[in-house]
Amino acid sequence: MKNALGREIPEYIEGYGVVRPFMGAFANYGMRERASVRLRSVKPGEQKLLATIDEALDKVGIKDGMTVSFHHHLRNGDYVLNLVMAAIAKRGIKDIHVAATGIFPIHEPLVEYIKQGIVTGISVNYISPGPVAKAITKGLLKNPAVMMSHGGRPRAIESGDLHIDVAFIASPEADAYGNINGVGGKAACGTLSYIIADSIYADKVVAVTDSLAPYPACPIDITQDFVDYVVVVDSIGDPGGIVSGTTKVTSDPVGLRIAKTAAQVIDATGYIKNELSFQTGAGGTSLAVAAEVRKIMKAKGVVGSFGAGGVTGYIVDMLNDGLFRNIFDVQCFDLKAVASYRDNPRHQAMSGSLYGNPHDKGAIVNNLDVMILGATEIDLDFNVNVVTGSDGTIMGASGGHNDTAAGAKLAMVVTNLTKGRLPVVKDKVTTVTTPGETIDVLVTERGIAVNPRRQDLLEKLKETDLPVKSIEELKEISEKMTGKPEPIEFTEKIVAVVEYRDGTVIDVVRQPK
């Protein structure tokens, strides 16, 4: 056979295989195959910049039944999810699956789309208490919501369990060819880690920005080879919404006492030493633990290996003080963290997959010494609930909870023994988020309980004057304070499925009566 240049080419070459003849320099641009999915490629000189979100929806071929994804690095300041979903709703599109890494009160318009059947499915790693969480709890969503972990979501995307048709990336700064960063522009939010898997594996990727930079938009967090289109809008969000009440050190005397005790436990068990790796949640008491650990590290002259996770200014201060050599950051929780990520090369981003994917070649959580966790409830088997509240209402999702608990050498839950005049320690938690086999210690203002699996820790703590008790004793103390609450009654309707980080179902959430 002859190719486009008239050269005689065999149809088959031994040791090479079937021959595809050259048909012109640009003959094979347009669509390419990947795992039975047709993906778009871009010719030299082809423009990616579009005028509106509507034009982007035309280009990606939005239709009923698609899965669209969003990320939450702007947290309660994000505008992009609402902008895109309003444009989709205006077209009369139905049966959309929203695969968002996080949902916040600002995303209240989703509730009406759920009622109208425009949105029939939601997958999420973190959901803040608010209108959408309440709507799911009430059973308004056609299909059960799927609660994932920060590591479980990229695992699902990479394995094909979660297929994304179109990823919309809130891009603080972008150029016209699709290079994106999170540190420039009007709405700088820091790392863009949670959308990395989407940018690689989604069929189509649309960068939505309010700050178009000259090419190339450096530094680059997501590169042009993963982005199909770029759309400029007036505003992608308010960076002030990154900060919330859950990202400030508690001023509550009880919380501060718990934090001091927790730091003493970490020290007594031998973890505050050179090369310490440490992560804390963004709750007030968890951050207070970080402040106490900082004091001990300074007093001992300890230099840790790294701080990790969603990063606040408190961890940044520890880096700047020389208490950690590095930071691994999956999400900036305040503007001080954003500035540090922008300016300090020792402050490194990590993708959600690198952070916590149990099926990759080595997640960062596997190298954690200490993880400080919160809890809505914990039971006598040390199972932890951070999904539902005392009335059965959805008020969260795993986030990195079960990822870090599985990886850390010391996974510690810090919490008040009672919340809202209800005991935190239960016979059985309402919803299991994190299995007890991965939780090591519970620290409360009334005492410390060690998981019987960790006799090594128990022996070390017995040598101290710290108030070590059994978890059964803590349960008894709390019930004397509050009384034993009546159990919540549920219907048979399943409103959410709670996936463990490996994709197995660890529990379900039923609609409260």
Side-chain angles (χ1 to χ4, degrees):
M1 63 178 173
K2 289 184 178 181
N3 67 16
L5 300 177
R7 308 292 290 187
E8 194 66 43
I9 305 291
E11 294 183 7
Y12 182 88
I13 299 173
E14 192 68 36
Y16 174 82
V18 175
V19 173
R20 291 182 301 133
F22 173 77
M23 299 306 292
F26 304 108
N28 284 317
Y29 279 87
M31 302 302 293
R32 66 192 188 279
E33 299 290 332
R34 184 185 74 188
S36 301
V37 176
R38 300 185 74 219
L39 302 174
R40 173 178 173 267
S41 57
V42 178
K43 292 181 182 179
E46 185 177 342
Q47 297 300 307
K48 296 183 180 181
L49 190 61
L50 305 178
T52 64
I53 287 174
D54 265 320
E55 189 178 354
L57 295 179
D58 288 338
K59 291 283 190 181
V60 300
I62 196 74
K63 61 183 180 181
D64 292 356
M66 279 190 162
T67 296
V68 295
S69 76
F70 305 89
H71 67 102
H72 73 285
H73 291 94
L74 281 163
R75 296 171 62 79
N76 202 39
D78 169 59
Y79 297 168
V80 170
L81 187 153
N82 290 348
L83 286 171
V84 171
M85 289 308 303
I88 289 174
K90 193 174 181 180
R91 292 172 173 238
I93 301 289
K94 299 285 187 179
D95 196 26
I96 292 294
H97 173 199
V98 173
T101 64
I103 291 175
F104 288 80
I106 197 170
H107 300 129
E108 183 174 4
L110 283 176
V111 175
E112 191 58 35
Y113 303 146
I114 288 169
K115 291 177 180 177
Q116 295 174 17
I118 294 165
V119 173
T120 55
I122 290 176
S123 299
V124 68
N125 328 3
Y126 176 77
I127 185 164
S128 182
V132 181
K134 288 178 181 177
I136 295 170
T137 304
K138 291 176 181 177
L140 300 183
L141 189 65
K142 179 181 178 182
N143 300 313
V146 180
M147 307 294 190
M148 297 178 162
S149 75
H150 285 330
R153 183 180 188 273
R155 176 211 54 77
I157 292 171
E158 293 169 18
S159 69
D161 290 348
L162 174 58
H163 175 81
I164 294 168
D165 294 297
V166 190
F168 293 91
I169 303 179
S171 308
E173 186 172 71
D175 60 42
Y177 211 54
N179 296 298
I180 303 167
N181 71 65
V183 297
K186 299 180 288 186
C189 62
T191 66
L192 300 175
S193 302
Y194 290 135
I195 200 72
I196 297 295
D198 307 54
S199 70
I200 296 170
Y201 291 92
D203 293 352
K204 299 288 189 337
V205 176
V206 179
V208 183
T209 188
D210 56 11
S211 296
L212 193 66
Y215 181 89
C218 292
I220 302 172
D221 289 317
I222 295 173
T223 55
Q224 63 193 41
D225 50 328
F226 294 117
V227 176
D228 292 280
Y229 302 107
V230 179
V231 178
V232 181
V233 296
D234 291 336
S235 178
I236 64 167
D238 174 11
I242 296 170
V243 182
S244 71
T246 62
T247 56
K248 299 175 183 175
V249 171
T250 184
S251 57
D252 172 42
V254 174
L256 292 172
R257 186 161 75 248
I258 293 168
K260 188 167 186 176
T261 303
Q264 291 171 333
V265 170
I266 298 168
D267 194 21
T269 51
Y271 285 102
I272 301 183
K273 59 185 179 181
N274 286 333
E275 300 305 303
L276 166 70
S277 54
F278 178 82
Q279 180 177 337
T280 181
T285 302
S286 296
L287 291 175
V289 177
E292 292 294 331
V293 168
R294 178 183 182 184
K295 293 177 188 175
I296 298 171
M297 291 177 74
K298 279 190 169 183
K300 287 187 165 189
V302 166
V303 178
S305 171
F306 67 89
V311 173
T312 64
Y314 307 105
I315 299 299
V316 168
D317 287 342
M318 294 174 82
L319 175 71
N320 293 337
D321 287 348
L323 300 179
F324 290 115
R325 294 198 311 275
N326 303 281
I327 288 175
F328 283 117
D329 189 345
V330 76
Q331 177 180 195
C332 293
F333 274 131
D334 57 35
L335 300 184
K336 191 171 189 176
V338 173
S340 174
Y341 172 61
R342 180 190 64 219
D343 299 334
N344 192 338
R346 293 185 294 122
H347 186 154
Q348 291 285 314
M350 58 178 169
S351 69
S353 189
L354 174 59
Y355 176 39
N357 183 345
H359 292 167
D360 72 10
K361 295 178 182 179
I364 294 294
V365 297
N366 296 348
N367 287 336
L368 275 176
D369 289 322
V370 178
M371 176 64 201
I372 307 301
L373 300 158
T376 305
E377 299 172 333
I378 185 168
D379 67 24
L380 299 180
D381 295 319
F382 285 81
N383 298 309
V384 175
N385 171 24
V386 294
V387 169
T388 49
S390 57
D391 59 354
T393 299
I394 293 169
M395 56 177 295
S398 176
H401 203 285
N402 59 44
D403 297 313
T404 52
K409 296 180 181 68
L410 175 62
M412 176 186 293
V413 170
V414 296
T415 180
N416 293 40
L417 193 56
T418 63
K419 290 182 180 178
R421 293 193 284 261
L422 291 170
V424 167
V425 182
K426 311 276 187 175
D427 289 321
K428 296 290 181 185
V429 294
T430 306
T431 308
V432 179
T433 311
T434 300
E437 64 185 286
T438 65
I439 299 295
D440 300 310
V441 178
L442 166 65
V443 179
T444 75
E445 75 278 19
R446 296 300 183 107
I448 302 157
V450 179
N451 192 324
R453 293 170 177 267
R454 295 302 305 270
Q455 288 298 311
D456 57 324
L457 300 179
L458 191 57
E459 291 302 318
K460 289 178 180 178
L461 292 177
K462 280 181 177 177
E463 297 173 3
T464 72
D465 59 359
L466 291 168
V468 178
K469 296 178 169 62
S470 70
I471 196 165
E472 288 81 6
E473 288 176 298
L474 290 179
K475 177 176 178 288
E476 185 178 344
I477 291 169
S478 67
E479 288 180 352
K480 283 181 179 177
M481 296 165 63
T482 65
K484 190 166 184 176
E486 291 295 320
I488 307 166
E489 292 187 23
F490 295 93
T491 70
E492 290 301 309
K493 182 179 176 65
I494 294 173
V495 298
V497 175
V498 183
E499 287 190 356
Y500 190 57
R501 59 199 299 252
D502 61 3
T504 56
V505 176
I506 195 167
D507 210 343
V508 296
V509 180
R510 289 183 168 84
Q511 180 184 22
K513 280 189 177 178

